[in-house]
Coordinates of all heavy atoms in Angstrom, one line a residue:
M1 N -15.5 -6.6 1.7 CA -14.1 -6.9 2.1 C -14.1 -6.8 3.7 O -14.6 -5.8 4.2 CB -13.1 -6.0 1.5 CG -11.8 -5.9 2.1 SD -10.7 -4.7 1.5 CE -11.1 -4.6 -0.2
T2 N -13.5 -7.7 4.3 CA -13.3 -7.7 5.8 C -12.1 -7.0 6.2 O -11.1 -6.8 5.3 CB -13.3 -9.1 6.4 OG1 -12.1 -9.8 5.9 CG2 -14.5 -9.9 5.9
Q3 N -12.0 -6.6 7.4 CA -10.8 -6.0 7.9 C -9.6 -7.0 7.8 O -8.5 -6.6 7.5 CB -10.9 -5.5 9.4 CG -11.8 -4.3 9.5 CD -12.0 -3.8 10.9 OE1 -11.7 -4.6 11.9 NE2 -12.4 -2.6 11.1
E4 N -9.9 -8.2 8.1 CA -8.9 -9.2 8.0 C -8.3 -9.4 6.6 O -7.1 -9.4 6.4 CB -9.4 -10.6 8.5 CG -8.3 -11.7 8.6 CD -8.8 -13.0 9.2 OE1 -10.0 -13.0 9.6 OE2 -8.0 -13.9 9.2
Q5 N -9.2 -9.4 5.6 CA -8.7 -9.4 4.2 C -7.9 -8.2 3.8 O -6.8 -8.4 3.2 CB -9.9 -9.5 3.2 CG -10.7 -10.8 3.3 CD -12.0 -10.7 2.5 OE1 -12.7 -9.7 2.5 NE2 -12.4 -11.8 1.8
M6 N -8.3 -7.1 4.2 CA -7.6 -5.8 3.9 C -6.3 -5.8 4.6 O -5.2 -5.5 4.0 CB -8.4 -4.6 4.3 CG -7.8 -3.3 3.9 SD -8.9 -2.0 4.4 CE -8.2 -0.7 3.5
A7 N -6.2 -6.2 5.9 CA -5.0 -6.3 6.6 C -4.0 -7.2 6.0 O -2.8 -6.9 5.8 CB -5.2 -6.7 8.1
N8 N -4.5 -8.4 5.5 CA -3.6 -9.4 4.9 C -3.1 -8.8 3.6 O -1.9 -8.9 3.2 CB -4.3 -10.7 4.6 CG -4.5 -11.5 5.8 OD1 -3.8 -11.4 6.8 ND2 -5.5 -12.3 5.8
D9 N -3.9 -8.1 2.8 CA -3.5 -7.5 1.5 C -2.5 -6.4 1.7 O -1.6 -6.3 0.9 CB -4.7 -7.0 0.8 CG -5.7 -8.0 0.2 OD1 -5.3 -9.2 0.2 OD2 -6.8 -7.7 -0.2
L10 N -2.6 -5.7 2.8 CA -1.7 -4.5 3.0 C -0.5 -4.9 3.8 O 0.4 -4.0 3.9 CB -2.5 -3.4 3.7 CG -3.7 -2.8 2.9 CD1 -4.4 -1.8 3.8 CD2 -3.3 -2.2 1.6
G11 N -0.5 -6.0 4.4 CA 0.6 -6.4 5.3 C 0.7 -5.7 6.6 O 1.7 -5.4 7.2
V12 N -0.5 -5.4 7.2 CA -0.6 -4.8 8.5 C -1.6 -5.7 9.3 O -2.1 -6.7 8.9 CB -1.2 -3.4 8.4 CG1 -0.3 -2.5 7.6 CG2 -2.6 -3.3 7.8
T13 N -1.7 -5.3 10.6 CA -2.6 -6.1 11.5 C -4.0 -5.7 11.3 O -4.3 -4.5 10.9 CB -2.1 -5.9 12.9 OG1 -2.4 -4.6 13.3 CG2 -0.7 -6.3 13.2
V14 N -4.9 -6.5 11.7 CA -6.3 -6.2 11.8 C -6.6 -5.0 12.7 O -7.4 -4.1 12.4 CB -7.2 -7.4 12.2 CG1 -8.6 -7.1 12.3 CG2 -7.0 -8.6 11.2
E15 N -5.8 -5.0 13.8 CA -6.0 -3.9 14.8 C -5.6 -2.6 14.1 O -6.3 -1.6 14.4 CB -5.1 -4.2 16.0 CG -5.2 -3.1 17.1 CD -6.6 -3.1 17.7 OE1 -7.3 -4.1 17.7 OE2 -7.0 -2.0 18.3
T16 N -4.6 -2.5 13.3 CA -4.2 -1.3 12.6 C -5.3 -0.8 11.7 O -5.7 0.3 11.7 CB -2.9 -1.5 11.8 OG1 -1.8 -1.8 12.7 CG2 -2.5 -0.3 11.0
V17 N -5.9 -1.7 10.9 CA -7.0 -1.4 10.0 C -8.2 -0.9 10.8 O -8.7 0.2 10.5 CB -7.4 -2.6 9.1 CG1 -8.7 -2.3 8.4 CG2 -6.3 -3.0 8.2
S18 N -8.5 -1.5 11.9 CA -9.6 -1.1 12.8 C -9.4 0.3 13.3 O -10.3 1.1 13.3 CB -9.8 -2.1 13.9 OG -10.8 -1.7 14.8
R19 N -8.2 0.5 13.8 CA -7.9 1.8 14.4 C -7.9 3.0 13.4 O -8.4 4.1 13.7 CB -6.5 1.8 15.1 CG -6.5 1.0 16.4 CD -5.1 1.0 17.0 NE -5.1 0.3 18.3 CZ -4.1 0.2 19.1 NH1 -2.9 0.7 18.7 NH2 -4.2 -0.4 20.2
I20 N -7.5 2.7 12.2 CA -7.5 3.7 11.2 C -9.0 4.0 10.8 O -9.4 5.1 10.6 CB -6.7 3.3 9.9 CG1 -5.2 3.3 10.3 CG2 -6.9 4.2 8.8 CD1 -4.3 2.7 9.3
E21 N -9.8 2.9 10.6 CA -11.2 3.1 10.3 C -11.9 3.9 11.3 O -12.8 4.7 11.0 CB -11.9 1.7 10.1 CG -11.5 1.1 8.8 CD -12.3 -0.2 8.6 OE1 -13.0 -0.7 9.5 OE2 -12.2 -0.8 7.5
R22 N -11.6 3.6 12.6 CA -12.3 4.3 13.7 C -11.8 5.7 13.9 O -12.3 6.5 14.7 CB -12.2 3.5 14.9 CG -13.1 2.2 14.9 CD -13.0 1.4 16.1 NE -11.7 0.8 16.3 CZ -11.0 0.8 17.4 NH1 -11.4 1.3 18.5 NH2 -9.8 0.2 17.4
G23 N -10.7 6.1 13.3 CA -10.1 7.4 13.5 C -9.2 7.5 14.8 O -8.9 8.6 15.2
V24 N -8.9 6.3 15.4 CA -8.1 6.3 16.6 C -6.7 6.6 16.2 O -5.9 7.2 17.1 CB -8.2 4.9 17.2 CG1 -7.2 4.8 18.4 CG2 -9.6 4.6 17.7
R25 N -6.2 6.2 15.1 CA -4.9 6.6 14.6 C -4.9 6.9 13.1 O -5.8 6.5 12.4 CB -3.9 5.4 14.9 CG -4.1 4.2 14.0 CD -3.0 3.3 14.0 NE -2.0 3.8 13.1 CZ -0.9 3.1 12.7 NH1 -0.7 2.0 13.2 NH2 0.0 3.7 11.9
G26 N -3.9 7.6 12.7 CA -3.8 7.9 11.3 C -2.9 6.9 10.6 O -2.2 6.1 11.3
A27 N -2.8 7.0 9.3 CA -1.9 6.1 8.6 C -0.6 6.9 8.3 O -0.7 8.1 8.0 CB -2.6 5.7 7.3
S28 N 0.5 6.2 8.3 CA 1.7 6.8 7.9 C 1.7 7.1 6.4 O 0.9 6.7 5.7 CB 2.9 5.8 8.2 OG 2.8 4.7 7.2
I29 N 2.6 8.0 6.0 CA 2.7 8.4 4.6 C 2.9 7.1 3.7 O 2.4 7.0 2.6 CB 3.7 9.5 4.3 CG1 3.6 10.1 2.9 CG2 5.1 9.0 4.6 CD1 2.3 10.8 2.7
D30 N 3.7 6.2 4.2 CA 4.0 5.0 3.5 C 2.7 4.2 3.3 O 2.4 3.6 2.3 CB 5.1 4.2 4.2 CG 6.4 4.8 4.1 OD1 6.7 5.6 3.2 OD2 7.2 4.6 5.1
L31 N 2.0 4.0 4.4 CA 0.7 3.3 4.3 C -0.3 4.0 3.5 O -1.1 3.4 2.7 CB 0.1 3.0 5.7 CG -1.1 2.1 5.8 CD1 -0.9 0.8 5.0 CD2 -1.6 1.9 7.2
M32 N -0.3 5.3 3.5 CA -1.2 6.1 2.6 C -0.9 5.8 1.2 O -1.8 5.7 0.3 CB -1.1 7.6 2.9 CG -1.7 8.0 4.3 SD -3.4 7.7 4.4 CE -4.1 9.0 3.5
S33 N 0.4 5.7 0.9 CA 0.8 5.4 -0.5 C 0.3 4.0 -0.9 O -0.2 3.9 -2.0 CB 2.3 5.5 -0.6 OG 2.7 5.2 -1.9
I34 N 0.5 3.1 0.0 CA 0.0 1.7 -0.3 C -1.5 1.7 -0.5 O -2.1 1.1 -1.4 CB 0.4 0.8 0.8 CG1 2.0 0.6 0.8 CG2 -0.3 -0.6 0.7 CD1 2.5 -0.1 2.1
L35 N -2.2 2.4 0.4 CA -3.7 2.5 0.3 C -4.2 3.1 -1.0 O -5.1 2.7 -1.6 CB -4.3 3.2 1.5 CG -4.3 2.5 2.9 CD1 -4.6 3.5 4.0 CD2 -5.2 1.4 2.9
S36 N -3.5 4.2 -1.4 CA -3.9 4.8 -2.6 C -3.7 3.9 -3.8 O -4.6 3.9 -4.7 CB -3.1 6.1 -2.9 OG -1.8 5.9 -3.2
K37 N -2.7 3.1 -3.8 CA -2.5 2.1 -4.9 C -3.5 1.0 -4.8 O -4.1 0.6 -5.8 CB -1.1 1.6 -4.9 CG -0.1 2.6 -5.3 CD 1.3 2.1 -5.1 CE 2.3 3.2 -5.4 NZ 3.6 3.0 -4.8
Y38 N -3.8 0.6 -3.6 CA -4.7 -0.5 -3.3 C -6.1 -0.2 -3.8 O -6.8 -1.0 -4.4 CB -4.7 -0.8 -1.8 CG -5.6 -2.0 -1.4 CD1 -5.1 -3.3 -1.6 CD2 -6.8 -1.8 -0.7 CE1 -5.8 -4.4 -1.2 CE2 -7.5 -2.9 -0.3 CZ -7.1 -4.2 -0.6 OH -7.8 -5.3 -0.2
F39 N -6.6 1.1 -3.5 CA -7.9 1.5 -3.9 C -7.9 2.3 -5.3 O -8.9 2.8 -5.7 CB -8.5 2.4 -2.8 CG -8.9 1.6 -1.6 CD1 -8.2 1.8 -0.4 CD2 -9.9 0.7 -1.6 CE1 -8.5 1.1 0.7 CE2 -10.3 0.0 -0.5 CZ -9.6 0.2 0.7
D40 N -6.7 2.3 -5.9 CA -6.6 3.0 -7.2 C -7.1 4.4 -7.2 O -8.0 4.8 -7.9 CB -7.3 2.2 -8.3 CG -6.9 2.7 -9.7 OD1 -5.8 3.2 -9.9 OD2 -7.8 2.6 -10.6
T41 N -6.6 5.2 -6.2 CA -7.0 6.6 -6.0 C -5.8 7.4 -5.6 O -4.7 6.8 -5.6 CB -8.2 6.7 -5.0 OG1 -8.7 8.0 -5.1 CG2 -7.8 6.4 -3.6
T42 N -6.0 8.6 -5.3 CA -4.9 9.4 -4.8 C -4.9 9.6 -3.3 O -5.9 9.4 -2.7 CB -5.0 10.9 -5.4 OG1 -6.2 11.5 -4.9 CG2 -5.0 10.8 -7.0
I43 N -3.7 10.0 -2.8 CA -3.6 10.2 -1.4 C -4.5 11.4 -1.0 O -5.2 11.5 0.0 CB -2.2 10.5 -0.9 CG1 -1.4 9.2 -1.0 CG2 -2.1 11.0 0.5 CD1 0.1 9.3 -0.8
D44 N -4.6 12.4 -1.9 CA -5.5 13.6 -1.7 C -6.9 13.1 -1.5 O -7.6 13.6 -0.6 CB -5.5 14.5 -3.0 CG -4.1 15.1 -3.2 OD1 -3.4 15.3 -2.2 OD2 -3.8 15.3 -4.4
F45 N -7.4 12.2 -2.3 CA -8.7 11.7 -2.1 C -8.9 10.9 -0.8 O -9.9 11.1 -0.1 CB -9.1 10.8 -3.3 CG -10.6 10.4 -3.3 CD1 -11.5 11.2 -3.7 CD2 -10.9 9.1 -2.8 CE1 -12.9 10.9 -3.7 CE2 -12.3 8.8 -2.7 CZ -13.2 9.6 -3.1
L46 N -7.9 10.2 -0.4 CA -8.0 9.4 0.9 C -8.1 10.4 2.0 O -8.8 10.2 3.0 CB -6.8 8.5 1.0 CG -6.7 7.3 0.1 CD1 -5.4 6.6 0.3 CD2 -7.9 6.4 0.3
V47 N -7.3 11.5 2.0 CA -7.3 12.5 3.1 C -8.4 13.4 3.0 O -9.1 13.7 4.0 CB -5.9 13.2 3.0 CG1 -5.9 14.3 4.1 CG2 -4.8 12.3 3.3
N48 N -8.7 14.0 1.9 CA -9.7 15.1 1.7 C -11.0 14.7 1.1 O -12.0 15.5 1.1 CB -9.1 16.2 0.9 CG -7.8 16.8 1.5 OD1 -7.8 17.0 2.6 ND2 -6.8 16.9 0.6
G49 N -11.1 13.5 0.6 CA -12.4 13.1 -0.1 C -12.5 13.7 -1.5 O -13.5 13.5 -2.1
K50 N -11.4 14.3 -1.9 CA -11.4 14.9 -3.3 C -10.0 15.0 -3.7 O -9.1 15.1 -2.9 CB -12.1 16.2 -3.3 CG -11.5 17.3 -2.5 CD -12.2 18.6 -2.5 CE -11.5 19.6 -1.5 NZ -12.2 20.8 -1.5
E51 N -9.8 15.0 -5.0 CA -8.5 15.2 -5.6 C -8.2 16.7 -5.6 O -9.0 17.5 -5.9 CB -8.3 14.6 -7.0 CG -8.4 13.1 -7.0 CD -8.0 12.5 -8.3 OE1 -7.2 13.1 -9.0 OE2 -8.6 11.5 -8.6
I52 N -6.9 17.0 -5.3 CA -6.5 18.4 -5.4 C -5.8 18.6 -6.7 O -4.8 18.1 -7.0 CB -5.6 18.8 -4.2 CG1 -6.3 18.6 -2.9 CG2 -5.1 20.2 -4.4 CD1 -5.4 18.8 -1.7
K53 N -6.5 19.3 -7.6 CA -6.0 19.5 -9.0 C -4.6 20.0 -9.1 O -3.8 19.5 -9.9 CB -7.0 20.4 -9.8 CG -6.6 20.5 -11.2 CD -7.7 21.2 -12.0 CE -7.4 21.4 -13.4 NZ -6.9 20.3 -14.2
E54 N -4.2 20.9 -8.2 CA -2.9 21.5 -8.3 C -1.8 20.4 -8.1 O -0.8 20.5 -8.7 CB -2.7 22.6 -7.2 CG -3.6 23.8 -7.5 CD -5.0 23.7 -7.0 OE1 -5.3 22.8 -6.2 OE2 -5.9 24.4 -7.5
C55 N -2.1 19.5 -7.2 CA -1.1 18.4 -7.0 C -0.9 17.6 -8.2 O 0.2 17.2 -8.6 CB -1.5 17.5 -5.8 SG -1.3 18.4 -4.2
N56 N -2.1 17.3 -8.9 CA -2.0 16.5 -10.1 C -1.3 17.2 -11.2 O -0.5 16.7 -11.9 CB -3.4 16.1 -10.6 CG -4.1 15.1 -9.6 OD1 -3.4 14.3 -8.9 ND2 -5.4 15.2 -9.5
D57 N -1.5 18.5 -11.3 CA -0.8 19.4 -12.3 C 0.7 19.4 -12.0 O 1.4 19.6 -13.0 CB -1.4 20.8 -12.3 CG -2.8 20.9 -12.8 OD1 -3.3 19.9 -13.5 OD2 -3.5 21.9 -12.6
L58 N 1.1 19.3 -10.8 CA 2.5 19.4 -10.4 C 3.3 18.3 -11.1 O 4.4 18.6 -11.6 CB 2.6 19.2 -8.9 CG 4.0 19.2 -8.3 CD1 4.7 20.5 -8.5 CD2 4.0 18.8 -6.9
F59 N 2.7 17.1 -11.3 CA 3.4 16.0 -11.9 C 3.3 16.0 -13.4 O 4.1 15.2 -14.1 CB 2.9 14.7 -11.3 CG 3.2 14.5 -9.9 CD1 2.3 14.6 -8.9 CD2 4.6 14.3 -9.5 CE1 2.6 14.5 -7.6 CE2 4.9 14.1 -8.2 CZ 3.9 14.2 -7.2
Q60 N 2.5 16.7 -14.0 CA 2.3 16.7 -15.5 C 3.6 17.2 -16.1 O 4.2 18.2 -15.8 CB 1.2 17.5 -16.0 CG -0.2 16.9 -15.7 CD -1.3 17.6 -16.3 OE1 -1.2 18.7 -16.9 NE2 -2.5 17.0 -16.3
G61 N 4.1 16.4 -17.1 CA 5.3 16.8 -17.8 C 6.6 16.4 -17.1 O 7.7 16.6 -17.7
L62 N 6.5 15.8 -15.9 CA 7.7 15.4 -15.2 C 8.0 13.9 -15.6 O 7.1 13.1 -15.6 CB 7.6 15.5 -13.7 CG 7.5 16.9 -13.1 CD1 7.3 16.8 -11.6 CD2 8.6 17.8 -13.5
D63 N 9.3 13.6 -15.8 CA 9.6 12.2 -16.0 C 9.6 11.4 -14.6 O 9.5 12.1 -13.6 CB 11.0 12.0 -16.7 CG 12.1 12.6 -15.9 OD1 12.1 12.5 -14.7 OD2 13.1 13.1 -16.6
E64 N 9.8 10.1 -14.7 CA 9.6 9.3 -13.4 C 10.7 9.7 -12.4 O 10.4 9.7 -11.2 CB 9.7 7.8 -13.8 CG 8.5 7.3 -14.6 CD 7.2 7.6 -13.9 OE1 7.1 7.3 -12.6 OE2 6.3 8.1 -14.5
I65 N 11.9 10.0 -12.8 CA 13.0 10.4 -11.9 C 12.6 11.7 -11.2 O 12.7 11.8 -9.9 CB 14.3 10.5 -12.6 CG1 14.8 9.2 -13.1 CG2 15.4 11.1 -11.7 CD1 16.0 9.2 -14.0
K66 N 12.1 12.7 -11.9 CA 11.7 13.9 -11.3 C 10.5 13.7 -10.4 O 10.5 14.3 -9.3 CB 11.5 15.0 -12.3 CG 12.7 15.5 -13.0 CD 12.5 16.5 -14.1 CE 13.8 16.9 -14.7 NZ 13.6 17.8 -15.9
K67 N 9.6 12.9 -10.8 CA 8.4 12.6 -9.9 C 8.9 12.0 -8.6 O 8.4 12.4 -7.5 CB 7.5 11.7 -10.6 CG 6.6 12.3 -11.7 CD 5.7 11.2 -12.3 CE 5.0 11.8 -13.5 NZ 4.1 10.8 -14.1
A68 N 9.8 11.1 -8.7 CA 10.3 10.4 -7.5 C 11.0 11.4 -6.6 O 10.9 11.3 -5.3 CB 11.3 9.3 -7.9
K69 N 11.8 12.4 -7.1 CA 12.4 13.4 -6.3 C 11.4 14.3 -5.6 O 11.6 14.6 -4.5 CB 13.3 14.2 -7.2 CG 14.6 13.5 -7.6 CD 15.5 14.4 -8.5 CE 16.7 13.6 -8.9 NZ 17.6 14.4 -9.8
V70 N 10.3 14.7 -6.3 CA 9.3 15.5 -5.7 C 8.6 14.8 -4.6 O 8.4 15.3 -3.5 CB 8.3 16.0 -6.8 CG1 7.1 16.6 -6.1 CG2 8.9 16.9 -7.8
I71 N 8.3 13.5 -4.8 CA 7.7 12.7 -3.8 C 8.6 12.6 -2.5 O 8.2 12.7 -1.4 CB 7.3 11.3 -4.3 CG1 6.1 11.5 -5.3 CG2 6.9 10.4 -3.2 CD1 5.8 10.2 -6.1
A72 N 9.9 12.4 -2.8 CA 10.9 12.2 -1.7 C 10.9 13.5 -0.9 O 10.9 13.5 0.4 CB 12.2 11.9 -2.2
I73 N 10.9 14.7 -1.5 CA 10.9 16.0 -0.9 C 9.6 16.1 -0.1 O 9.7 16.6 1.1 CB 11.1 17.1 -1.9 CG1 12.5 17.1 -2.5 CG2 10.8 18.5 -1.2 CD1 12.7 17.9 -3.7
M74 N 8.5 15.8 -0.6 CA 7.2 15.9 0.0 C 7.2 15.0 1.3 O 6.7 15.5 2.4 CB 6.1 15.6 -0.9 CG 5.9 16.6 -2.0 SD 4.8 16.1 -3.3 CE 3.2 16.3 -2.5
K75 N 7.7 13.8 1.2 CA 7.8 12.9 2.4 C 8.6 13.5 3.5 O 8.2 13.5 4.6 CB 8.3 11.6 2.0 CG 7.4 10.6 1.3 CD 8.0 9.3 1.0 CE 7.1 8.3 0.3 NZ 7.7 7.0 0.1
C76 N 9.7 14.1 3.1 CA 10.6 14.7 4.1 C 9.9 15.9 4.8 O 10.0 16.0 6.0 CB 11.9 15.2 3.4 SG 13.1 15.9 4.5
V77 N 9.2 16.7 4.0 CA 8.5 17.8 4.6 C 7.4 17.3 5.6 O 7.3 17.8 6.7 CB 7.9 18.7 3.5 CG1 6.9 19.7 4.1 CG2 9.0 19.4 2.7
I78 N 6.7 16.4 5.1 CA 5.6 15.9 6.0 C 6.1 15.2 7.3 O 5.6 15.5 8.3 CB 4.7 14.8 5.2 CG1 3.9 15.6 4.1 CG2 3.8 14.1 6.1 CD1 3.3 14.7 3.1
E79 N 7.2 14.5 7.2 CA 7.8 13.8 8.4 C 8.3 14.9 9.3 O 8.4 14.6 10.5 CB 8.9 12.9 7.9 CG 8.3 11.6 7.2 CD 9.4 10.8 6.6 OE1 10.6 11.1 6.7 OE2 9.1 9.7 6.0
N80 N 8.7 16.0 8.9 CA 9.3 17.0 9.8 C 8.3 18.1 10.2 O 8.7 19.1 10.8 CB 10.5 17.6 9.1 CG 11.6 16.6 9.0 OD1 12.1 16.1 10.0 ND2 12.0 16.3 7.8
I81 N 7.0 17.9 9.9 CA 6.0 18.9 10.3 C 5.7 18.8 11.8 O 5.7 17.8 12.3 CB 4.7 18.8 9.5 CG1 5.0 19.2 8.1 CG2 3.6 19.6 10.1 CD1 3.8 19.1 7.2

């Protein structure tokens, strides 16, 4: 896959993909979410190279509404760090 293909699939510029790959810039939480779906993996894996079991356990047993609320809270926390 080329950077151009990936940029088109993700709706970002080739320059954005290039900068993220080179570590010049990080990806926003929204883009991380898109990337995790695109590569069928978790944000934990994208960031750490491994899944964090505790995060996966956090969502077990929660319905979709509660999962969405937890994600919204996590986004808010991350944006305000």
Side-chain angles (χ1 to χ4, degrees):
M1 163 186 328
T2 67
Q3 288 182 343
E4 187 174 355
Q5 289 170 322
M6 186 176 192
N8 286 335
D9 290 348
L10 299 175
V12 298
T13 66
V14 174
E15 184 65 24
T16 297
V17 172
S18 176
R19 287 180 177 181
I20 292 169
E21 283 184 352
R22 291 182 287 135
V24 173
R25 68 164 283 187
S28 68
I29 190 68
D30 293 330
L31 184 54
M32 291 296 285
S33 178
I34 292 167
L35 287 167
S36 71
K37 291 173 186 158
Y38 185 76
F39 289 112
D40 191 29
T41 190
T42 64
I43 293 174
D44 296 329
F45 186 80
L46 293 174
V47 173
N48 301 313
K50 62 182 176 181
E51 289 189 36
I52 300 174
K53 186 170 176 45
E54 293 81 18
C55 288
N56 293 331
D57 290 344
L58 177 67
F59 291 109
Q60 287 187 351
L62 295 180
D63 61 34
E64 292 304 313
I65 294 172
K66 288 180 182 174
K67 285 180 187 178
K69 287 180 180 179
V70 170
I71 290 169
I73 291 167
M74 292 169 73
K75 281 184 180 181
C76 183
V77 169
I78 290 169
E79 290 171 358
N80 292 299
I81 291 179

